[in-house]
Amino acid sequence: MLDQLTEPAREVALVVGSDGPVSRIVCRRLAAEGITTAVAGPSAQRTALYGKALADERIRALPYQVDPGEWDSIDQLVTDVVADLGRLDVLVNLTAATPRSDTAAEWSRVLNVNLAGAYRLGRAAARAMAGAGRPGRIVVLTPGERPGGEGGPAAGVSAAGVASLVADWARLVPSPRITVNAVTPEPAADPDSVASAILLLLRTDARSVTGQSVTVPGPDVLR
């Protein structure tokens, strides 16, 4: 799909881990701002189809494959995006593993993807942003109960871990011009509201907001 990019990207966003409604809303609104989007997920075929669907909507989107539990794969993803598109300005991490069974192996897998993988992805993106000397925005969707998703103890633990990670991470990024925040949807939160919270944290005038976890309430709270 690279031959479809007829001019250099003005800004580049990387959206990882979901082709659901939140991802689609975020990609559409980024495209409206003229931002080229790379979308990445564990299934090459599914991500390619998602990239094609976005392209059909006239959204500049390129598909990439990544294993969110493998650190080498995560590093390679960021390297490839920067090599292909010339820069990286925004990372939106929607990755969320949920346990398939109540076993030690499943707990380990979920925490590895949701915590260790999130850290590695954010660190790789922050280094790319800092190396270019530009401002950067990183937003992580906490892996608890999500719109249309599942929860569970392992997901809840990793959600709390991501909130703690983001608070510490904001002090450790290699440039004060890079912000790191989280969005935490309550059960049955509206996807449009979740996407709006993510996009709010990506705005230029949110450059002083970092290390925060923004909660998006569910419908019971909003009544």
Side-chain angles (χ1 to χ4, degrees):
M1 293 186 62
L2 285 175
D3 59 353
Q4 296 181 17
L5 299 182
T6 57
E7 59 185 29
R10 179 171 61 87
E11 287 185 86
V12 172
L14 172 58
V15 179
V16 180
S18 173
D19 55 4
V22 172
S23 176
R24 284 181 177 269
I25 295 166
V26 169
C27 288
R28 288 190 192 107
R29 295 190 189 174
L30 291 173
E33 298 292 328
I35 298 174
T36 298
T37 304
V39 291
S43 168
Q45 181 179 16
R46 182 167 174 171
T47 305
L49 290 173
Y50 181 47
K52 183 180 184 304
L54 292 173
D56 290 344
E57 296 181 34
R58 300 186 182 278
I59 296 172
R60 300 176 76 190
L62 290 94
Y64 292 83
Q65 185 177 15
V66 64
D67 183 339
E70 292 290 337
W71 285 25
D72 289 345
S73 178
I74 290 168
D75 287 344
Q76 190 62 52
L77 168 66
V78 174
T79 298
D80 289 346
V81 168
V82 174
D84 292 344
L85 301 177
R87 58 192 294 159
L88 180 60
D89 305 278
V90 169
L91 168 66
V92 178
N93 185 4
L94 305 177
T95 303
T98 53
R100 296 183 287 253
S101 61
D102 190 16
T103 64
E106 278 299 287
W107 271 76
S108 178
R109 181 185 66 85
V110 168
L111 296 179
N112 179 52
V113 170
N114 293 346
L115 282 178
Y119 170 74
R120 185 69 171 196
L121 179 58
R123 188 175 74 166
R127 285 178 171 174
M129 295 169 183
R134 303 187 187 98
R137 301 284 179 269
I138 298 172
V139 178
V140 182
L141 193 62
T142 58
E145 293 189 64
R146 301 182 173 204
E150 297 179 355
V157 168
S158 53
V162 166
S164 177
L165 175 65
V166 164
D168 290 336
W169 208 352
R171 297 191 293 269
L172 299 174
V173 291
S175 167
R177 302 177 73 194
I178 299 171
T179 63
V180 185
N181 294 287
V183 169
T184 304
E186 292 185 348
D190 175 55
D192 192 73
S193 297
V194 176
S196 294
I198 292 170
L199 291 157
L200 178 66
L201 294 168
L202 300 181
R203 289 172 56 93
T204 301
D205 52 10
R207 59 185 173 273
S208 63
V209 180
T210 192
Q212 304 303 307
S213 292
V214 176
T215 299
V216 179
D220 292 341
V221 177
L222 296 174
R223 286 176 183 168

